[in-house]
Amino acid sequence: MEEKGKILIIDDNEDVLFALNLLLEPYMEKVKVTTQPARIAHFMTTFKPDVILLDMNFRRDAISGQEGFDCLEQILQIDPQAVVIFMTAYADTDKAVRAIKEGATDFVSKPWEKEKLLATLSSALKLSRSRKEVGKLQAQMLALKTDDELSELIGNSPAMQKVKETIFKLSDTDANILILGENGTGKDLVARMLKHFSPRQEAAFVTIDLGSIPEQLFESELFGYEKGAFTDARKAKPGRMEIASGGTLFLDEIGNLSLPMQAKLLTAIEKHRILRLGAVEPIEIDVRLICATNANLHQRVADGSFRQDLLYRINTIELRIPPLRERGEDILLLAEHFLTGYNRKYHKEVKGLTREAKNKLLKYNWPGNVRELQHTIERAVILSDNTLLRPADFPFPTAGNEHRESNDEELNLEKLERKAVEKAMRSSGGNMTRAAELLGITRFALYRKIEKLGL
């Protein structure tokens, strides 16, 4: 028995408690025993057991097991994730079924077989550790709610009003959503708003940047692993899909998935269960999927680089986020919003923008979209010594970009992506880390884009 933890044993027979204490002490981190069910709340709040071994029948009612079920109800009210194993000398199928239905983890009979009891407790400890880790990570995900995460989707343009209307229309549904849009348009913010205005508002929101996960780590990151599944797996770890169960899973850059990884993701989505690396038993999951990409997945399906059946699974609703160059006066609304934030952050007192500066922002093509505008305003606030930002505070790379492109050919996503990458590389002087920051992606994702675009 490899797992060690804290166990609380509740039984009205002191001889049983003595025997179990003697048996389990070498295998457990700590053992506490009590003959008094009334002490359950005390031990759960002070001792915090990993597993509770609970007698089903007490002297008051030695056969029906009702007193044990009452104790189980009390335990689960204190901790709904508690791992409870029932034990009784009057084991029968009906009691076992009822025990599991009412929240018990397992059922053992007295007298016990040592090896079977130890195996049952070992499995229970693993389950307890897994539940606690998942609970902790879910709490961390919920704790990540910030003002930015739930900030208003700024913009009054017709294109953005349509996006907002769609988000509110979807507020009562669990449908899978595919968010389409260029890099920097705010797909992650839209995903968080979709979660916030949904039936799963209070549940976990787990995000994965699929463009930054090396293929060899995909399964362990998404599905988790058991202790010993590979060389560095010193303890079991739940995957992102398991952590997101009951809530929302945001798969960013889903267009970057290779075909083998697409197949594995599709299997998990279709079967509603995952298998940790090194595990035998699958784990049931219940997640709402929100995916995002800047790629044309329908074209990818046509050329065979994206599975059609996976696309059908993830795009019950498609939501397109417009590029900044199509949003008109929203550019100035966003600029004022970022200006306020960076004034506060850097303790500056920039009052606004001159008319000429506003015109310059409106004429610029914004290949990096909202993210580029945000970095542009931040840089201007840091470097400016004036009370108003002027055109000189916005040194865009080339004059040729200071007018809007209206040619349909220039709206091709791949060409725009190429231009954005080339511009970022020029602006950063070839520094990959800085270029990736300007684009709002990881170095790994940037390498993949450079390879894909043949740059």
Side-chain angles (χ1 to χ4, degrees):
M1 181 172 172
E2 294 182 7
E3 294 287 332
K4 283 199 171 187
K6 296 187 292 185
I7 183 168
L8 172 64
I9 309 171
I10 307 164
D11 195 299
D12 63 350
N13 189 321
E14 293 184 353
D15 291 336
V16 169
L17 293 179
F18 179 79
L20 284 171
N21 193 16
L22 196 64
L23 170 63
L24 298 178
E25 192 173 23
Y27 302 98
M28 293 290 169
E29 180 185 336
K30 287 183 181 179
V31 179
K32 291 279 187 182
V33 301
T34 183
T35 59
Q36 303 174 49
R39 299 271 290 163
I40 287 175
H42 168 75
F43 281 110
M44 288 192 68
T45 54
T46 58
F47 181 55
K48 300 185 184 300
D50 297 305
V51 175
I52 297 173
L53 196 56
L54 174 64
D55 187 25
M56 181 175 286
N57 300 296
F58 292 79
R59 292 190 180 93
R60 180 166 59 83
D61 182 357
I63 297 176
S64 74
Q66 184 56 48
E67 196 168 6
F69 286 116
D70 292 341
C71 291
L72 174 64
E73 183 180 0
Q74 180 188 0
I75 290 167
L76 295 180
Q77 283 179 349
I78 297 171
D79 179 9
Q81 297 298 312
V83 175
V84 181
I85 299 174
F86 262 135
M87 59 179 180
T88 179
Y90 301 96
D92 60 36
T93 305
D94 291 340
K95 287 191 181 73
V97 170
R98 182 184 170 193
I100 300 302
K101 282 184 176 179
E102 295 196 14
T105 301
D106 212 333
F107 193 102
V108 296
S109 57
K110 295 186 289 189
W112 54 81
E113 297 176 22
K114 176 182 174 181
E115 295 304 322
K116 185 175 180 180
L117 176 61
L118 291 178
T120 300
L121 290 175
S122 179
S123 298
L125 283 168
K126 288 179 181 178
L127 176 61
S128 176
R129 294 279 163 77
S130 176
R131 284 182 179 178
K132 286 178 180 178
E133 187 164 0
V134 170
K136 182 172 70 174
L137 290 171
Q138 286 179 334
Q140 289 173 352
M141 295 297 175
L142 289 171
L144 289 176
K145 285 183 178 179
T146 62
D147 291 340
D148 286 339
E149 179 181 326
L150 297 178
S151 61
E152 182 184 357
L153 199 58
I154 295 170
N156 295 325
S157 63
M160 288 308 296
Q161 288 298 333
K162 185 177 179 180
V163 170
K164 293 178 183 179
E165 288 170 6
T166 304
I167 290 173
F168 293 125
K169 282 181 182 178
L170 297 172
S171 61
D172 293 325
T173 181
D174 257 357
N176 291 338
I177 312 294
L178 176 61
I179 304 173
L180 304 173
E182 299 174 15
N183 283 331
T185 49
K187 297 188 290 295
D188 56 339
L189 175 58
V190 171
R192 293 177 188 277
M193 290 194 70
L194 283 165
K195 177 260 180 182
H196 183 66
F197 296 103
S198 79
R200 302 187 183 221
Q201 177 182 4
E202 298 302 322
F205 179 83
V206 180
T207 180
I208 312 174
D209 182 358
L210 296 175
S212 66
I213 301 176
E215 189 161 329
Q216 62 271 24
L217 298 180
F218 175 84
E219 285 187 85
S220 62
E221 189 69 22
L222 205 62
F223 307 138
Y225 52 82
E226 294 292 341
K227 180 180 178 181
F230 48 85
T231 304
D232 292 327
R234 296 184 178 87
K235 64 178 181 178
K237 178 183 177 183
R240 301 289 185 91
M241 294 193 84
E242 185 178 345
I243 295 168
S245 189
T248 304
L249 181 65
F250 176 42
L251 301 178
D252 200 6
E253 300 288 356
I254 195 169
N256 288 346
L257 275 186
S258 67
L259 284 170
M261 297 304 100
Q262 291 175 33
K264 291 174 181 178
L265 176 60
L266 177 64
T267 299
I269 294 172
E270 287 183 332
K271 294 184 176 180
H272 300 286
R273 63 174 182 258
I274 53 99
L275 187 67
R276 289 184 180 183
L277 290 178
V280 177
E281 294 296 326
I283 297 172
E284 300 293 325
I285 58 168
D286 168 30
V287 296
R288 191 245 187 129
L289 277 180
I290 299 178
C291 302
T293 182
N294 64 348
N296 185 335
L297 294 188
H298 295 280
Q299 182 59 46
R300 294 279 182 91
V301 168
D303 63 28
S305 61
F306 200 87
R307 294 179 63 111
Q308 187 175 51
D309 45 5
L310 178 57
L311 179 58
Y312 288 154
R313 285 287 183 180
I314 65 176
N315 78 331
T316 305
I317 303 291
E318 286 189 1
L319 183 57
R320 179 181 176 271
I321 312 303
L324 188 55
R325 61 182 172 275
E326 295 179 7
R327 294 176 55 181
E329 296 288 326
D330 285 356
I331 294 171
L332 301 183
L333 288 177
L334 286 161
E336 293 289 348
H337 171 73
F338 294 136
L339 178 60
T340 300
Y342 289 124
N343 267 333
R344 185 167 56 248
K345 179 177 179 179
Y346 296 112
H347 308 291
K348 301 292 283 278
E349 295 183 1
V350 180
K351 304 298 184 183
L353 295 85
T354 66
R355 181 181 301 174
E356 294 77 13
K358 291 178 180 180
N359 287 335
K360 187 172 185 178
L361 295 185
L362 288 171
K363 290 178 181 178
Y364 183 59
N365 196 46
W366 299 109
N369 292 294
V370 178
R371 188 177 293 119
E372 183 183 6
L373 174 60
Q374 181 177 358
H375 292 317
T376 297
I377 298 297
E378 181 178 18
R379 181 177 60 241
V381 169
I382 291 171
L383 297 178
S384 178
D385 293 321
N386 301 312
T387 56
L388 293 175
L389 296 179
R390 307 174 187 280
D393 293 313
F394 306 115
F396 296 126
T398 60
N401 276 329
E402 292 185 17
H403 64 279
R404 295 185 181 278
E405 302 283 349
S406 59
N407 193 315
D408 288 343
E409 182 178 321
E410 293 303 314
L411 297 180
N412 180 282
L413 284 177
E414 185 172 336
K415 290 182 178 179
L416 287 169
E417 187 177 55
R418 178 186 294 273
K419 283 184 178 180
V421 172
E422 289 175 342
K423 178 183 173 184
M425 293 299 292
R426 286 196 305 269
S427 298
S428 66
N431 184 306
M432 296 293 284
T433 300
R434 178 57 182 153
E437 290 175 353
L438 289 172
L439 291 167
I441 59 178
T442 64
R443 279 172 56 94
F444 180 82
L446 178 57
Y447 283 125
R448 291 191 62 169
K449 290 185 186 298
I450 289 173
E451 181 180 357
K452 180 186 77 172
L453 296 169
L455 297 175

